[in-house]
Amino acid sequence: MPPVAELKKHHSLPKLRDLGRQLRRSGRHEEAIEVFSALAESGTVECKRDALAARAATYEKLGQPSKALADGKQIIDLDPVDVRGYLITGHLLTLMRNLSLAEKIYHRGLRFCQEQSACQKLQARLTSIVNPGRSLKHLIICSNSAPNSQPIVQGKVFANLHALEELELSNLTLTNADGVFATCLRTLRVLKLTNVIGTEAALPWLEQYRQPSQPFPFLRELLITPCSSFAKMMAYSALVPRSLRGSKTLQSLTLDVGLFGDDELRSILHGDQVLGISDLRLINGVKFRDCHAEMLALDNGCLNELALQTSPVTGVGIRTLAEKCPSLKRLRLTDCFNIGLDAIDGVRRKGIKVGFHLNADS
């Protein structure tokens, strides 16, 4: 084969790429690496990414995983959105038995992933390195996709996660896949759902979790926003039956209650339900009124921090909270227009820090 420098003079970059692939297929790996290396130093970022991916595959064929790993990492550095860098790097780390770092790479890829098919590949790789003998404890699946093109995550992704403790999902559509997602719900300590919707298939199995016989026994932190039918059902499954099954582990709750009716909000905020919660944040609380503040304050000795957004609560309500919640140290009010400054000053005199913000656009 002529020197690569000569080839570059007489061949376009696409033809050089095809030449490198042909050399690799014919087993001439060293020559293929020369061509891919030349391509990696030339052309556009896209050309460099293609060349690095091809060279990584060739290095792996030659039994040089460390060099292939370096190429995978370089792709990530060049373009964090290109899923190939995460797939290559995670695959090689798995081959090198560095499963912990492989998990982190796949998690990072899912944060940047913008295409449904790419997300599914990363999820499949992540699931493949989890088994009952070594169960994943922390899982984050986040998509940057537009709301009308959210990736669909099937419940089978969670099939082997028998010891999952922290789960964070963002900008996704969840299906039930025969309810196997329910496998991990029993072990969760932290659950965060941001802009996660469920297909109709996801709702029937979730309905059963409203029964006291199906516990979230260890949940200590829950975040669900914004509100949707699926999100509301999930909140109910985690919160409403708590007093019936005696679970008092929940410490932090962030919840968009915009779609909750009055009775539903009362069920969520009933004193026994929130007993033990130290940090409570209610977003889009348009139905949280003084009567709900009274209910929240009833026998609640653990509430340390409360945040209300877009609530019609008045000074009467926040004075009730200040008087009946002995542990309350911080109160954050956003777009709560019915509260006067005299009421806020009165709460502050009790040693409670009050943040009061009115959005000019509201």
Side-chain angles (χ1 to χ4, degrees):
M1 185 184 76
V4 172
E6 289 295 322
L7 291 172
K8 289 174 65 176
K9 291 181 181 179
H10 304 289
H11 293 79
S12 64
L13 294 180
K15 287 188 177 180
L16 276 178
R17 181 190 58 198
D18 293 340
L19 174 61
R21 291 173 177 173
Q22 183 180 352
L23 290 169
R24 187 177 61 191
R25 285 194 297 268
S26 61
R28 297 162 65 181
H29 296 121
E30 297 289 353
E31 294 174 279
I33 286 176
E34 287 186 41
V35 174
F36 292 139
S37 297
L39 285 170
E41 298 171 0
S42 310
T44 63
V45 171
E46 182 179 1
C47 180
K48 292 179 181 179
R49 295 197 314 257
D50 292 343
L52 289 168
R55 190 172 69 178
T58 310
Y59 276 134
E60 184 182 352
K61 288 280 188 180
L62 285 174
Q64 300 178 22
S66 296
K67 291 183 178 180
L69 180 62
D71 283 346
K73 291 179 178 179
Q74 194 172 341
I75 295 173
I76 295 174
D77 292 338
L78 279 172
D79 185 359
V81 177
D82 190 338
V83 73
R84 289 178 299 178
Y86 305 103
L87 291 171
I88 292 169
T89 304
H91 166 67
L92 290 161
L93 287 169
T94 302
L95 290 179
M96 298 165 75
R97 307 309 299 166
N98 193 340
L99 301 184
S100 177
L101 188 53
E103 286 175 10
K104 292 179 180 179
I105 289 294
Y106 288 138
H107 284 158
R108 183 181 173 190
L110 286 165
R111 282 185 177 274
F112 288 97
C113 185
Q114 296 182 352
E115 297 180 3
Q116 180 176 329
S117 60
C119 284
Q120 289 174 342
K121 289 179 181 178
L122 287 167
Q123 291 159 9
R125 292 282 185 89
L126 188 56
T127 302
S128 70
I129 62 176
V130 178
N131 56 63
R134 182 187 172 279
S135 292
L136 193 67
K137 291 189 175 182
H138 310 280
L139 177 61
I140 300 174
I141 304 179
C142 300
S143 168
N144 293 326
S145 299
N148 60 352
S149 60
Q150 289 184 174
I152 295 177
V153 178
Q154 295 188 356
K156 63 184 179 181
V157 172
F158 309 96
N160 293 327
L161 308 185
H162 302 289
L164 191 67
E165 295 182 1
E166 297 187 18
L167 175 62
E168 181 177 347
L169 304 177
S170 177
N171 298 325
L172 302 169
T173 297
L174 183 66
T175 67
N176 75 320
D178 298 324
V180 293
F181 175 52
T183 302
C184 70
L185 298 184
R186 300 179 181 89
T187 61
L188 286 179
R189 269 69 168 174
V190 177
L191 175 60
K192 297 181 180 181
L193 305 179
T194 303
N195 196 28
V196 174
I197 61 177
T199 63
E200 292 183 2
L203 295 177
W205 63 261
L206 187 56
E207 177 70 27
Q208 68 176 313
Y209 276 76
R210 298 179 64 173
Q211 307 302 319
S213 59
Q214 300 289 339
F216 278 75
F218 306 114
L219 194 66
R220 71 171 184 267
E221 181 178 353
L222 176 65
L223 181 151
I224 300 180
T225 181
C227 196
S228 65
S229 297
F230 175 80
K232 187 167 72 171
M233 180 100 51
M234 180 65 86
Y236 254 68
S237 67
L239 296 170
V240 172
R242 288 181 68 221
S243 61
L244 299 178
R245 57 178 175 248
S247 173
K248 299 291 189 294
T249 60
L250 193 63
Q251 299 173 7
S252 177
L253 172 62
T254 301
L255 188 63
D256 185 325
V257 293
L259 292 184
F260 285 82
D262 186 70
D263 290 341
E264 294 169 326
L265 188 57
R266 287 174 180 271
S267 297
I268 292 292
L269 297 176
H270 184 272
D272 190 46
Q273 310 297 342
V274 297
L275 186 64
I277 292 179
S278 60
D279 184 359
L280 177 62
R281 307 174 191 187
L282 299 179
I283 301 170
N284 197 16
V286 292
K287 296 175 183 175
F288 185 91
R289 303 186 301 276
D290 290 344
C291 60
H292 300 109
E294 176 77 31
M295 184 182 303
L296 181 62
L298 184 64
D299 298 325
N300 195 323
C302 296
L303 189 62
N304 183 265
E305 183 170 341
L306 173 64
L308 298 174
Q309 181 189 72
T310 322
S311 167
V313 68
T314 70
V316 174
I318 66 166
R319 278 194 292 264
T320 300
L321 290 166
E323 292 169 359
K324 296 188 177 182
C325 296
S327 298
L328 189 62
K329 303 299 182 198
R330 188 182 299 273
L331 182 62
R332 290 184 292 169
L333 305 168
T334 303
D335 292 339
C336 298
F337 293 96
N338 294 335
I339 301 174
L341 294 178
D342 56 338
I344 293 175
D345 290 339
V347 172
R348 285 173 174 161
R349 283 194 293 271
K350 292 183 176 294
I352 299 173
K353 295 181 179 180
V354 182
F356 187 57
H357 177 72
L358 298 179
N359 190 335
D361 296 331
S362 297

